[in-house]
Structures are given as C-alpha cells and as structure tokens.
C-alpha cells in the first residue's frame, strides 16, 4: 500500500516515546532528478549539434517552456540566479542606495555591492517576514534608486504597497524570487510584479538546472538590455554596445531543466503531503508555529519553516537544531545570521539592530525542516516524532 494512504488511526496511535534516528542523513532538500536515460538522449542531441552554449536548441526550448509555464512576458536564462540579479540591477541602471531586507540569503545584498550600490536594510514584517513596506519610506533619500525585496520562502512581498511607494518616489522595484518558482497571488504569476524578478534554478530549488537562473521582466527594451548584458554587450559580430559580462546558461544546464520541469508538479504535490503531516503533527507542540501563506497564494513549496517561541516552548531553536542532529536530521537556520550582521555590512547605519528588531527576533526563531517529495509520509512522521520527543507535547 502506498505510504500516503496509511489510515489516520495508525498515525494517532504512533508511539512518539522512542523515535529512531534516520539511517542516512536527512537534509532540508533533495533535488528531483530526471531519468538518466532521458538525460542521455538530450546529451546525444547536444553532441550531434556540437553546440554547447550561446543560445542553442536546448536553451531555446527551455526558454519557451518556462515562458509558458511561468506566464512570463520576457524571460532571460542565466548561468545562476545571482548573475541574473546582478545584471537586472545593471540593466535597470540602479545606483546609489537600494532598500532591501536583511532577512535573506547573502546573494541579495551582495548583488548590490557588485553594482557599487549601498544596501540599506529595512526591517521585515513580523508575520510575513518579507520587507515591511511601512519601514521603507523613512529610509528613502535622494540617493535611493530602487527597492530590492525578497519573496522569502515563497511568501509574496506586499507587492502593491511596495509599488505604490516606488511610484510615489520614482523608484524601481526588483524582486529576488529565488524561492518563488510558480508562486501565484490571486491567480497572477508572481513575476508580474515589479520591474524585474530573479528566479534561481540552483540544485536546492524546487525547479533546478543544477546551477542556473532567470530574469523575468515586463518591458521589452529592458529585456533587450538584459540580453545584451548577459553576453558581453555583443549586439552582433564586431558591434559591442555596452560593457556586458558572461551570464549565459549552457546547453547541458538547459537540457537538465527541460527534464526537471516535467517533475515539478509531482514534486510539489509530494511536498504538499509532507507539509500536511508537518502541520497536523506540529500543531500539538507548545511554542511552535508553522509559517502559513495567505489563502490567495499558490505556494511554491520551496521550504517548510517553523518558528520556535522560546518564551513558551521548553527549548529554543538552537537547541532543537542541535538535538535533531542526534536523529540524523540536519535542518537549516534560514536566515540566521542576518545579512546586516556580516562583517561586510555590519557597520552600515541601517544595520543597527535598533533599526531591525523584527528581523533579529525572526532570525532567532526560524528553522527550515527537511522538505522534499521523497521524504514521504513516513519520513515526515519520523521528523515529527523527533521534534515531539525533543520539545514535548502541549
Ligand atoms: C538561492 C538563492 C539565491 C542565489 O541563487 P543562485 O542561483 O544560487 O545564484 C539568491 N537569493 C535567495 C533568496 C536564494 O535563496
């Protein structure tokens, strides 16, 4: 019998006193991998064409498939998501200061540094953990050129509040959508918001090309600039029109993407089952809450995140993180420390903890649990057994 059909009663009577460790280490993610024979057949095409990069047939096919899947107007594929974001800032001609969140992966503020832009950190919203629109306005100066917000864990930012502010002050809006592949808000694709959205296709992301990424934009002239910038600014042979760089995705990455794209829906469904087990079981634990998306949002299923309120729970997040290792469960403290705490940013005025109380608290409370389809119903229960054993019942 497939594991997901284990009767409810069997789950309720499960003995949570003696959880056993996983035989193999369990990490937060495990990439869906296509059938090797199918990948091999793509490789044969590539070998026959002897074209390994520069917009070959696989690149074109993946670009078309993703444009349709994401309902994107203009999409450019990249060798990784960070490069897509660096070029996005460059193509939007951002300069001076850009207001961003400290509660993110290091790539977000780093792309600003790589564009000689000073990141200005604004605090996050206590529930959504995305940039708090109310905290942005006081940080706007004559040097501010844009807002760089992150759809953290696939939670959509306050897109209309952010756009209103940007319109009022003449700022650009660029989104780090690394966690938001396929996210929709009221049925609208997440890439519809702002001037540009970056997607990451790193192996740890739901849809991946090993390494890879994309930039989705709405304006056709911006799209042209992005395409030039990612290929050294070469317009045509002998005609280099701007100082571009190399951001191109190669044919092997694109071939992998064509196959993993077919696995995305099944993977999302399998992750939904894992999430259902987590929500049901973990609701029993005092001081533990699961991060919820609003009902009008289609979840990307990139992460499953819990928050531990140590004023109420018996142990804090760090202790849970450490103790889970005894069960061979390796969770991640995404995002601790905050980017504003890194040596390269901690002396910025906006990095002062007084400016970022909500982010500091969140960074102490969040924990990303193992979240991938092949963990399955049983695996999810075993993770919950361990957490329940460590933290106790309500
Ligand atoms: C993964 C990630 C990136 C970096 O993407 P790469 O494709 O690895 O360069 C940037 N921002 C966030 C929030 C991420 O999670």
């Amino acid at each position: 019998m497939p594991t997901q059909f284990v009767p409810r009663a069997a789950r309720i009577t499960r003995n949570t006193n003696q959880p056993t460790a996983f035989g193999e280490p369990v990490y937060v993610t495990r990439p869906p991998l296509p059938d090797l024979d199918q990948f091999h057949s793509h490789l044969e095409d590539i070998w026959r064409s002897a074209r390994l990069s520069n917009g070959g047939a696989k690149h074109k096919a993946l670009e078309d498939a993703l444009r349709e899947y994401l309902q994107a107007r203009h999409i450019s594929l990249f060798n990784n998501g960070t490069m897509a974001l660096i070029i996005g800032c460059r193509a939007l001609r951002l300069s001076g200061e850009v207001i961003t969140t400290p509660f993110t992966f290091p790539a977000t503020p780093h792309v600003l540094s790589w564009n000689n832009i000073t990141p200005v950190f604004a605090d996050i919203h206590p529930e959504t953990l995305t940039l708090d629109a109310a905290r942005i306005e006081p940080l706007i100066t004559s040097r501010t050129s844009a807002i760089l917000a992150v759809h953290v864990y696939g939670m959509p930012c306050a897109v209309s509040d952010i756009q209103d502010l940007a319109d009022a002050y003449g700022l650009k809006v660029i989104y780090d959508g690394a966690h938001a592949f396929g996210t929709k808000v009221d049925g609208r694709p997440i890439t519809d918001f702002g001037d540009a959205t970056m997607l990451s296709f790193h192996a740890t992301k739901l849809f991946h090309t090993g390494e890879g990424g994309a930039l989705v934009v709405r304006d056709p002239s911006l799209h042209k600039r992005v395409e030039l910038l990612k290929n050294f600014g070469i317009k045509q042979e002998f005609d280099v029109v701007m100082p571009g760089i190399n951001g191109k995705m190669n044919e092997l990455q694109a071939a992998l993407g064509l196959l993993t794209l077919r696995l995305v829906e099944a993977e999302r469904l399998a992750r939904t089952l894992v999430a259902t087990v987590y929500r049901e079981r973990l609701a029993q634990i005092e001081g533990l809450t699961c991060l919820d998306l609003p009902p009008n949002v289609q979840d990307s299923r990139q992460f499953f995140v819990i928050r531990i309120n140590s004023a109420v729970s018996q142990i804090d997040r760090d202790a849970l993180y450490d103790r889970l290792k005894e069960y061979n469960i390796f969770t991640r403290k995404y995002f601790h420390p905050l980017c504003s705490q890194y040596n390269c940013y901690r002396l910025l005025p906006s990095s002062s903890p007084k400016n970022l109380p909500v982010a500091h608290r969140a960074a102490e409370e969040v924990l990303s649990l193992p979240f991938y389809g092949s963990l399955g119903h049983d695996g999810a229960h075993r993770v919950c057994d361990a957490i329940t054993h460590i933290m106790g019942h309500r």
Side-chain angles (χ1 to χ4, degrees):
M1 188 196 291
T3 48
Q4 60 265 42
F5 299 123
V6 170
R8 201 184 156 79
R11 291 188 251 155
I12 285 166
T13 56
R14 181 180 289 262
N15 177 7
T16 56
N17 291 327
Q18 292 296 327
T20 50
F22 283 88
E24 297 283 326
V26 170
Y27 301 108
V28 277
T29 193
R30 195 181 162 89
L33 287 170
D35 180 70
L36 257 186
D37 288 338
Q38 287 183 8
F39 189 55
H40 195 254
S41 122
H42 277 281
L43 292 182
E44 282 172 354
D45 297 341
I46 296 171
W47 259 236
R48 261 196 305 277
S49 76
R51 183 163 185 168
L52 303 185
S53 190
N54 288 39
K58 302 300 175 190
H59 182 285
K60 169 135 195 7
L62 182 62
E63 205 172 64
D64 291 344
L66 285 173
R67 193 182 303 107
E68 188 183 327
Y69 183 89
L70 298 166
Q71 300 166 258
R73 250 168 275 184
H74 303 286
I75 184 166
S76 302
L77 304 185
F78 281 88
N79 47 7
N80 62 65
T82 305
M83 187 58 89
L85 204 51
I86 288 176
I87 290 181
C89 293
R90 185 92 180 188
L92 284 165
R93 302 191 172 106
L94 306 187
S95 64
E97 297 172 354
V98 167
I99 296 172
T100 191
T101 171
F103 192 72
T104 182
F105 188 71
T108 316
H110 287 353
V111 302
L112 299 175
S113 296
W114 277 78
N115 277 287
N116 286 317
I117 293 166
T118 306
V120 175
F121 295 112
D123 209 358
I124 58 173
H125 187 276
E127 267 145 44
T128 64
L129 306 185
T130 63
L131 205 49
D132 188 342
R135 304 270 161 240
I136 295 173
E137 197 165 14
L139 296 168
I140 297 174
T141 71
S142 57
R143 301 190 66 220
T144 310
S145 58
I147 299 164
L148 166 54
V150 182
H151 303 301
V152 189
Y153 315 135
M155 172 77 76
C157 294
V159 285
S160 52
D161 291 348
I162 287 173
Q163 193 61 56
D164 287 350
L165 269 176
D167 292 344
Y169 288 91
L171 307 176
K172 301 289 186 193
V173 178
I174 181 163
Y175 286 109
D176 177 336
H179 304 167
F181 185 84
T183 295
K184 288 185 181 160
V185 183
D186 291 320
R188 248 183 106 179
I190 194 74
T191 50
D192 265 15
F193 303 99
D195 295 287
T197 302
M198 174 273 260
L199 300 169
S200 167
F201 305 153
H202 185 258
T204 51
K205 306 303 199 294
L206 172 84
F207 167 72
H208 71 90
T209 55
E211 291 271 4
L215 195 75
V216 175
V217 304
R218 296 190 296 166
D219 173 33
S221 65
L222 178 60
H223 177 64
K224 276 203 195 108
R225 209 148 57 238
V226 169
E227 286 291 314
L228 283 169
L229 283 169
K230 79 172 209 192
N231 188 29
F232 311 99
I234 300 173
K235 194 167 178 189
Q236 51 197 340
E237 203 179 5
F238 313 121
D239 192 10
V240 176
V241 295
M242 58 180 81
I245 194 167
N246 183 359
K248 301 186 304 293
M249 176 183 280
N250 69 45
E251 286 293 275
L252 290 92
Q253 291 171 289
L256 184 55
L258 283 168
L259 293 173
T260 44
L261 187 58
R262 295 195 207 157
L263 307 178
V264 161
E265 288 311 318
E267 175 65 18
R268 219 195 292 275
L269 201 66
R271 290 184 185 197
T272 303
L273 290 173
V274 170
T276 305
V277 172
Y278 279 162
R279 275 181 207 291
E280 202 175 292
R281 291 280 310 276
L282 300 177
Q284 315 294 322
I285 296 172
E286 191 94 61
L288 187 158
T289 48
C290 299
L291 210 85
D292 275 317
L293 293 191
N296 64 331
V297 173
Q298 180 179 294
D299 195 334
S300 63
R301 301 282 178 208
Q302 173 63 47
F303 286 113
F304 192 95
V305 179
I306 58 172
R307 291 182 75 168
I308 308 294
N309 178 356
S310 59
V312 182
S313 67
Q314 296 180 26
I315 67 166
D316 65 13
R317 188 275 316 271
D318 288 347
L320 177 62
Y321 167 88
D322 287 334
R323 295 242 359 238
L324 281 170
K325 291 181 183 170
E326 295 165 16
Y327 298 90
N328 234 351
I329 300 168
F330 296 86
T331 56
R332 297 299 295 265
K333 302 177 192 178
Y334 291 138
F335 291 98
H336 167 92
L338 299 172
C339 295
S340 51
Q341 295 176 289
Y342 304 160
N343 273 333
C344 48
Y345 301 123
R346 70 186 169 84
L347 295 178
L348 294 171
S350 66
S351 292
S352 159
K354 281 200 291 283
N355 182 44
L356 308 166
V358 180
H360 274 271
R361 176 160 182 194
E364 296 303 318
E365 293 187 349
V366 289
L367 196 64
S368 287
L369 299 186
F371 196 49
Y372 48 90
S374 60
L375 184 64
H377 176 276
D378 268 22
H381 270 291
R382 290 181 65 181
V383 172
C384 292
D385 289 346
I387 296 174
T388 309
H389 189 65
I390 295 165
M391 297 192 67
H393 283 283
R394 203 179 282 277

